[in-house]
Amino acid sequence: MAEYKHKEVERKWQRYWADNKIFEANVDHNKPKFYVLDMFPYPSGAGLHVGHPLGYIASDIVSRFKRNKGYNVLHPMGFDAFGLPAEQYAIQTGQHPALTTAENIKRYKDQLQGIGLSYDWDKEVRTCDPKYYKWTQWIFSQLFSCWYNYDSNKAESIETLIAAFEKKGNKKINAACDDDTPIFDAAYWNRLSEAGKAKLLLKYRLTYPADALVNWCPALGTVLANDEVKDGFSERGGHPVERKKMRQWMMRITAYADRLVGNLNKLDWSASMKDMQTNWIGKSYGCELDFEVYDKDIALTCFTTRPDTIFGVTYMVLAPEHELVRELTTEEHREEVEAYVQKAINRSERERMSEIKTVSGVFTGSFVINPFTNEKVPLWIADYVLAGYGTGVVMAVPSSDDRDFRFATYYGLPVKRVIAGTEDLKDPTEIKHGKMINSGFITGMDSSEAVHATIDYAEKEGFGTAKVNYRIRDAVFSRQRYWGEPVPVYFTEDGIPRLLPESELPLELPPIDEYLPTKSGEPPLGRAKKWLYKGKYAYELTTMPGWAGSSWYFLRYMDASNDREFVSKEAAEYWNSVDLYIGGTEHATGHLLYSRFWNLFLYDRGYVTHEEPFQKLVNQGMIQGRSNIAYKLKDEHKFISAGLKKKYDVMELHVDVNIVHNDILDVEAFKKWMPDYKDAEFELEDGKFRCDFAIEKMSKRWYNVVNPDDVIEKYGADTLRMYEMFLGPIELSKPWNTHGIDGVAKFLRRLWALFYDADGKSLVNAGKPKAEEYKALHKTIQKVEMDIENLSFNTSVSEFMICVNALTQLNCHKKEILEKLLIVLSPFAPHIAEELWQSLGHEESIIHAEYPEFDESYIKEDEYEFPVMVNGKMRTKIKFALDKSPGEIENEVLENDVIKKWLDGKSPKKVIVVPKKIVNVVV
RNA sequence: GCCCAGGUGGUGGAAUUGGUAGACACGCAGGACUUAAAAUCCUGUGGCCGUUUAGGCCGUGCGGGUUCAAGUCCCGCCCUGGGUACCA
């Protein structure tokens, strides 16, 4: 081939890889395994843009590198195919979401293959495929059939719980269960009807139905999980979200809260990712304290992390939703309290957001007694106390809590200072820890010491216990939508949910006529005709949320076509956990938490061999759009080049970035793109029309979407791959711009030119390489290998450029050098590497080539040029043989003319010689 | 408010973790080839002073500090991005 034709080369090798199943990976005990995973995409109608492949290319480089290193690499791809957009489209057009989804997947696959990603497509999964969701339903069934035992600290079969109830009741059972679970003995249990037992067991199951306060999104007609709501609006579509109580399936993730936090330190994840999960789970240590209500036979239990400030309590607060509000309100305050509670409950999430920091509350008329002081303090109701956290009751210490302080100041409640140093402060909450004052028996202690002392005291006296609290709530698992996995549950006459037997799985989605809720407000599945279990029992009508299918797909890849198990024991054992997982940070508190939860559960049940699914996690940054802006005179069809805009009164106009190159507008293309302006005038500078730019989200609206297909068409997939890596560190968010892409394209042409001259004649010869040639090669081998281990691909691309430039300068066309260089380069630019590899006479794919070993002896220097400094300022450079001793170097430096001049006759105080680094002479 | 991450030329970004700041690339300027353009190749390119040369001074958000030596470590600020928010 005379010149490098990327289209031909790339098409040829992509076909070769697919036809020969080059990337197929199956259990092979003779080879070490390596599992590289990408977060699988939701196939949207818009197709991939140039930002998506960033992570895919990085993981592909690692996969290909590891293959050359002799690993058996599992590198799969699939599609998170259930979801809202396809359903919304179905509502508008009537087209079944399965069709839309299949079309979108086809497009995605074509695009992914065009980038030359080395996936084993035989392992592809689609979450909407019944063969796949059969096992999603199966995992749901397993969760339904288990409870969480805090004593053994793992999930156990519900049978063990039933056996325990039959013998001893639930008193001694330390289980994760609903807060309102009654305490009973064996006799009570054994007397219960079958339905009564079933009902009670629901309080223990790891997935269970409950009336939960949920995020209801009227526009989408469904509930959303906490992580799907951003600032009171739905993450998808940006519709307002309100709080509503509804019957929902829940997942008892709180049972795993402690292990989900604890295991984080075993993982190789970024600190910020771990922080996000830690904060989301929100583990806090403290205690529960009982406060007797004055004149009533009721005690209120509050949770606090600061029992040391107990002597500073001046009032107590109840959440408006608290169940005892009515009972604890005195007659004279009833009207006021009820009005306040009504208002607080009806307020939407968004109103609460906007009113944050405004103080509001109301006095109940009741008093409680501080168990430490026997003091009588007033009981208030205020919406700054959340019903869902702790016990919904707070002991208020205005002197050390900002909110309590604001509230007390506003309502004229007393402030009692209990920490030394706060006495003279206007705002005592500025100091939160220190020596205790005015605090009975803990006076003089340090606050951390006092925490323990008060808890000990409360436990001894029987009005308190140490307690760990979590911010995380059980996850809502129901969606009032059609396009999701049906929940494998039916209801018997008594209204109790029963599990569908495993032999009935998958429970497939029934066809429906319209993808909307029924007239009576039931989810779309309510429209399915004759959709009943055994012809009479109603199925659950909600479907599973998007995260159901994505919480275990990484396990399915290991054994994707197994129809007897979700993954075989052998495959699960062999592939173990994911060695490298690449994806965006947006999944920190959703997907990555739920997956860890399900994986832990499956581990407890013995189905997988590892506690944590993702050993190493890397978050690729987002690629933002780089919009181009042209300036136009306000009332004329005249455009002004950016440099001249100051002279005129101009308006901004977004122009399609695909007709702008390096900020220079292609005027002819513009006229075609915007026919309205085909006769417009253009005022140029230096014969060019320059645009300004702005960094914005990549979106059709700003005409800044760059499609990888277009880049591949123009430059080729290898250039796209290398350029995306060259753009900067993988974790960094950066705007897409093509400013430097010519540099990468040029590099590939130079590489080609090492193999072929302009007429297509091979230049490669079998000569013995010179020392410098070896040096250039081995420096690259070393650097690139280190870079891939650290995932800093941008510097590798630079290194390749340096190497090829050096070989060009040396006029080196030696087979021995070029061959090895190709292997090192092949993960980055696989198509051209394969082509040139073949041109050297190899018949097997470069995938099977052995990665060249780095040999230090080639890059060893026998002398080193020391920068020599005087008082820390660089003055000259002197070369020394490496075996020179520091003493000899020092003597020679002091003899050097330049240094002598700087010493100016004075003798140095000391001379610092750092081998292979620097010499510093201190005067 | 709290918790992270970051701030280096005209631009994207390097810097072996305390040791020659600005690798590599883009852009720009000049040159070669060409009737011309494209492509390709060569040279220069942080700022200031110095006519040139030699050279010098200043420079990694700002202000201090530690050190023979600081982009890197410590203290105090300022800005940008991400997460989270009445979580007791």
Side-chain angles (χ1 to χ4, degrees):
Chain A
M1 218 181 286
E3 55 180 314
Y4 169 46
K5 291 185 182 134
H6 62 80
K7 272 184 227 173
E8 271 170 51
V9 169
E10 289 174 0
R11 213 170 298 134
K12 169 179 164 190
W13 289 102
Q14 283 167 14
R15 192 165 307 143
Y16 174 85
W17 295 329
D19 291 350
N20 295 284
K21 293 192 188 282
I22 293 289
F23 308 118
E24 192 175 7
N26 293 310
V27 173
D28 176 357
H29 291 285
N30 297 316
K31 272 184 168 182
K33 69 95 193 187
F34 201 84
Y35 185 0
V36 186
L37 182 66
D38 291 307
M39 286 186 186
F40 66 166
Y42 174 80
S44 80
L48 290 174
H49 67 63
V50 105
H52 293 106
L54 186 69
Y56 302 156
I57 294 167
S59 62
D60 198 57
I61 290 170
V62 175
S63 303
R64 288 173 178 270
F65 170 76
K66 287 284 177 184
R67 284 192 196 99
N68 285 134
K69 279 282 189 179
Y71 287 85
N72 185 20
V73 176
L74 177 59
H75 187 41
M77 180 46 93
F79 300 94
D80 185 14
F82 275 131
L84 281 175
E87 183 160 351
Q88 299 286 61
Y89 189 72
I91 291 169
Q92 287 159 24
T93 62
Q95 171 160 220
H96 195 285
L99 289 175
T100 320
T101 305
E103 277 166 25
N104 291 347
I105 288 178
K106 167 131 197 346
R107 170 117 192 261
Y108 265 64
K109 262 181 98 162
D110 286 347
Q111 286 187 297
L112 291 169
Q113 274 162 335
I115 302 167
L117 301 170
S118 62
Y119 297 123
D120 175 358
W121 283 107
D122 287 351
K123 303 280 188 296
E124 179 189 340
V125 302
R126 301 178 180 193
T127 55
C128 64
D129 180 351
K131 287 202 204 88
Y132 178 90
Y133 70 65
K134 169 183 179 177
W135 298 108
T136 311
Q137 292 171 335
W138 179 84
I139 293 172
F140 174 92
S141 305
Q142 298 304 306
L143 284 155
F144 185 84
S145 311
C146 289
W147 64 293
Y148 198 86
N149 186 345
Y150 282 127
D151 286 333
S152 61
N153 213 12
K154 60 180 200 178
E156 293 179 12
S157 162
I158 201 84
E159 305 302 327
T160 65
L161 187 68
I162 295 170
F165 286 172
E166 281 168 358
K167 268 193 210 134
K168 297 178 279 201
N170 71 350
K171 208 170 200 164
K172 292 263 166 64
I173 303 277
N174 190 8
C177 60
D178 292 0
D179 293 336
D180 61 355
T181 309
I183 293 174
F184 55 84
D185 56 16
Y188 173 88
W189 171 261
N190 291 322
R191 269 200 313 275
L192 280 175
S193 66
E194 201 275 333
K197 285 177 182 170
K199 219 168 163 183
L200 197 49
L201 285 175
L202 287 175
K203 295 182 183 298
Y204 288 86
R205 296 184 187 275
L206 288 179
T207 181
Y208 60 97
D211 286 319
L213 206 54
V214 295
N215 306 302
W216 172 254
C217 180
L220 295 173
T222 190
V223 303
L224 298 169
N226 284 340
D227 62 276
E228 292 168 325
V229 183
K230 289 253 137 64
D231 301 329
F233 290 88
S234 69
E235 201 178 24
R236 291 225 165 156
H239 307 291
V241 173
E242 46 190 64
R243 309 282 288 166
K244 193 172 168 184
K245 214 161 202 176
M246 288 178 80
R247 191 92 179 149
Q248 301 292 325
W249 281 90
M250 308 287 290
M251 283 278 163
R252 213 179 289 282
I253 189 172
T254 48
Y256 283 91
D258 198 43
R259 285 163 79 190
L260 287 171
V261 188
N263 280 356
L264 281 174
N265 60 33
K266 297 188 211 162
L267 300 178
D268 187 3
W269 291 19
S270 73
S272 69
M273 205 56 163
K274 291 184 186 181
D275 280 345
M276 266 190 241
Q277 291 211 342
T278 307
N279 293 339
W280 187 262
I281 296 167
K283 182 176 185 174
S284 47
Y285 299 89
C287 65
E288 285 189 348
L289 296 173
D290 300 332
F291 284 62
E292 307 260 332
V293 179
Y294 183 73
D295 260 359
K296 283 219 170 81
D297 192 20
I298 299 177
L300 282 176
T301 306
C302 72
F303 173 77
T304 180
T305 57
R306 295 297 307 275
D308 53 316
T309 62
I310 184 79
F311 290 88
V313 174
T314 56
Y315 65 102
M316 196 158 205
V317 202
L318 228 49
E321 298 93 338
H322 198 279
E323 54 201 359
L324 293 174
V325 165
R326 176 169 283 273
E327 201 169 337
L328 294 175
T329 303
T330 59
E331 273 318 310
E332 58 195 295
H333 291 90
R334 186 160 307 278
E335 206 175 308
E336 205 188 336
V337 167
E338 270 171 14
Y340 180 77
V341 169
Q342 263 319 308
K343 204 181 128 217
I345 289 176
N346 287 340
R347 231 162 14 141
S348 74
E349 192 77 341
R350 264 186 311 141
E351 283 166 322
R352 286 186 72 153
M353 292 276 187
S354 59
E355 282 172 31
I356 226 162
K357 299 266 142 71
T358 56
V359 177
S360 78
V362 63
F363 178 47
T364 58
S366 291
F367 291 85
V368 296
I369 296 175
N370 181 336
F372 279 76
T373 61
N374 287 322
E375 249 176 312
K376 212 168 101 179
V377 296
L379 178 65
W380 284 67
I381 292 169
D383 64 359
Y384 79 84
V385 175
L386 304 174
Y389 182 77
T391 59
V393 184
V394 166
M395 60 175 231
V397 185
S399 62
S400 64
D401 183 282
D402 313 335
R403 292 153 304 173
D404 296 346
F405 183 68
R406 259 198 324 268
F407 192 85
T409 315
Y410 188 83
Y411 287 107
L413 292 158
V415 178
K416 253 183 85 180
R417 295 165 200 241
V418 288
I419 303 225
T422 58
E423 299 94 324
D424 305 321
L425 291 177
K426 212 164 144 200
D427 178 359
T429 65
E430 277 169 30
I431 301 176
K432 293 209 163 71
H433 296 272
K435 252 193 178 36
M436 307 308 303
I437 54 170
N438 307 323
S439 291
F441 74 98
I442 54 168
T443 302
M445 287 185 191
D446 196 70
S447 35
S448 56
E449 190 189 344
V451 168
H452 295 113
T454 43
I455 296 178
D456 287 348
Y457 180 77
E459 285 188 333
K460 207 171 74 211
E461 297 292 316
F463 54 74
T465 45
K467 170 97 194 206
V468 175
N469 230 319
Y470 298 92
R471 197 192 80 116
I472 193 173
R473 306 290 144 76
D474 280 344
V476 180
F477 196 68
S478 288
R479 295 292 182 274
Q480 286 67 22
R481 309 294 310 210
Y482 174 74
W483 193 228
E485 301 88 345
V487 177
V489 157
Y490 64 93
F491 293 87
T492 44
E493 295 86 345
D494 46 20
I496 292 172
R498 312 279 170 167
L499 206 56
L500 208 59
E502 194 179 328
S503 57
E504 298 285 328
L505 300 182
L507 172 60
E508 291 197 32
L509 271 174
I512 57 175
D513 53 355
E514 234 191 320
Y515 303 95
L516 288 169
T518 63
K519 287 210 181 76
S520 55
E522 286 188 318
L525 281 182
R527 292 174 177 272
K529 300 214 170 66
K530 291 190 201 138
W531 193 53
L532 298 166
Y533 179 55
K534 289 192 169 161
K536 55 177 172 178
Y537 299 119
Y539 285 117
E540 168 66 37
L541 295 181
T542 63
T543 52
M544 299 189 195
W547 55 266
S550 61
S551 291
W552 72 281
Y553 75 110
F554 46 92
L555 296 169
R556 187 62 181 170
Y557 282 141
M558 297 172 178
D559 196 7
S561 52
N562 189 336
D563 53 10
R564 294 181 316 279
E565 299 155 284
F566 76 103
V567 56
S568 74
K569 198 126 201 175
E570 193 200 10
E573 236 164 63
Y574 177 77
W575 293 112
N576 202 264
S577 59
V578 175
D579 296 281
L580 175 66
Y581 194 20
I582 297 188
T585 30
E586 66 273 20
H587 297 107
T589 51
H591 162 63
L592 286 167
L593 207 53
Y594 299 130
S595 298
R596 293 182 58 219
F597 160 41
W598 279 25
N599 192 83
L600 268 173
F601 168 73
L602 293 168
Y603 170 80
D604 283 353
R605 305 301 300 145
Y607 294 114
V608 299
T609 52
H610 51 280
E611 269 195 279
E612 286 295 332
F614 315 121
Q615 251 323 299
K616 185 180 170 86
L617 173 74
V618 173
N619 302 113
Q620 94 272 20
M622 289 227 290
I623 297 228
Q624 296 132 314
R626 188 181 186 280
S627 317
N628 275 112
I629 291 162
Y631 297 97
K632 180 180 129 4
L633 288 190
K634 275 210 172 115
D635 304 309
E636 283 172 66
H637 277 204
K638 186 172 180 186
F639 289 85
I640 306 298
S641 186
L644 310 167
K645 68 176 178 194
K646 282 192 192 124
K647 293 197 267 181
Y648 301 92
D649 186 16
V650 291
M651 57 180 282
E652 295 183 357
L653 200 80
H654 275 79
V655 298
D656 188 341
V657 293
N658 295 298
I659 54 171
V660 180
H661 190 66
N662 290 347
D663 287 342
I664 306 299
L665 178 71
D666 179 338
V667 173
E668 290 313 311
F670 176 78
K671 287 177 177 171
K672 256 185 236 156
W673 178 67
M674 275 267 192
D676 283 3
Y677 293 119
K678 65 176 191 290
D679 301 319
E681 280 180 70
F682 291 84
E683 186 166 336
L684 311 177
E685 41 183 328
D686 310 329
K688 291 169 179 167
F689 188 91
R690 195 176 298 277
C691 299
D692 268 347
F693 69 91
I695 305 304
E696 288 161 316
K697 211 182 145 183
M698 211 174 259
S699 146
K700 280 184 193 164
R701 197 175 152 200
W702 305 120
Y703 306 112
N704 61 3
V705 177
V706 183
N707 186 316
D709 303 2
D710 297 340
V711 180
I712 290 172
E713 172 71 19
K714 188 165 176 198
Y715 294 98
D718 286 333
T719 304
L720 173 76
R721 292 168 63 106
M722 291 199 88
Y723 186 60
E724 290 222 6
M725 293 301 102
F726 183 67
L727 224 40
I730 190 83
E731 308 90 340
L732 230 69
S733 281
K734 55 228 154 189
W736 175 259
N737 73 76
T738 45
H739 274 27
I741 200 163
D742 291 328
V744 174
K746 205 188 294 181
F747 157 76
L748 290 176
R749 283 198 295 269
R750 281 171 165 230
L751 174 77
W752 188 267
L754 287 175
F755 290 75
Y756 291 107
D757 70 11
D759 304 321
K761 232 177 72 215
S762 175
L763 295 167
V764 181
N765 62 63
K768 174 82 184 144
K770 290 182 283 192
E772 287 153 299
E773 294 163 352
Y774 275 126
K775 192 173 155 188
L777 172 71
H778 280 269
K779 258 173 68 188
T780 304
I781 295 174
Q782 185 195 29
K783 177 92 171 92
V784 172
E785 188 162 348
M786 247 167 55
D787 283 347
I788 293 179
E789 299 289 352
N790 301 325
L791 305 174
S792 58
F793 306 109
N794 55 332
T795 49
S796 297
V797 178
S798 294
E799 186 57 36
F800 285 124
M801 291 178 177
I802 295 169
C803 183
V804 166
N805 284 345
L807 295 179
T808 306
Q809 293 274 309
L810 292 165
N811 204 12
C812 168
H813 305 282
K814 296 184 179 130
K815 189 175 173 191
E816 188 183 337
I817 298 285
L818 296 179
E819 204 163 48
K820 290 187 173 153
L821 177 63
L822 282 181
I823 302 170
V824 178
L825 178 72
S826 66
F828 292 80
H831 310 86
I832 194 173
E834 286 273 27
E835 180 68 24
L836 293 172
W837 179 254
Q838 192 188 42
S839 81
L840 295 179
H842 295 280
E843 288 186 3
E844 276 223 306
S845 159
I846 198 166
I847 302 289
H848 304 298
E850 199 180 316
Y851 202 83
E853 199 137 323
F854 161 62
D855 186 340
E856 202 180 352
S857 63
Y858 289 118
I859 62 166
K860 247 194 197 142
E861 309 264 357
D862 46 8
E863 51 180 21
Y864 181 79
E865 193 176 43
F866 278 83
V868 183
M869 304 175 120
V870 177
N871 285 340
K873 289 225 186 289
M874 235 278 283
R875 292 309 174 195
T876 188
K877 291 175 191 170
I878 309 174
K879 275 188 183 171
F880 291 103
L882 279 178
D883 52 12
K884 275 260 161 75
S885 73
E888 289 173 299
I889 290 173
E890 181 177 336
N891 288 337
E892 261 185 67
V893 164
L894 294 179
E895 287 305 305
N896 182 282
D897 289 340
V898 178
I899 299 303
K900 266 187 182 161
K901 193 183 119 200
W902 282 101
L903 284 174
D904 198 20
K906 282 172 273 184
S907 58
K909 269 193 209 133
K910 60 176 160 176
V911 179
I912 294 138
V913 179
V914 186
K916 281 195 85 174
K917 290 239 164 112
I918 209 148
V919 180
N920 193 4
V921 182
V922 187
V923 185

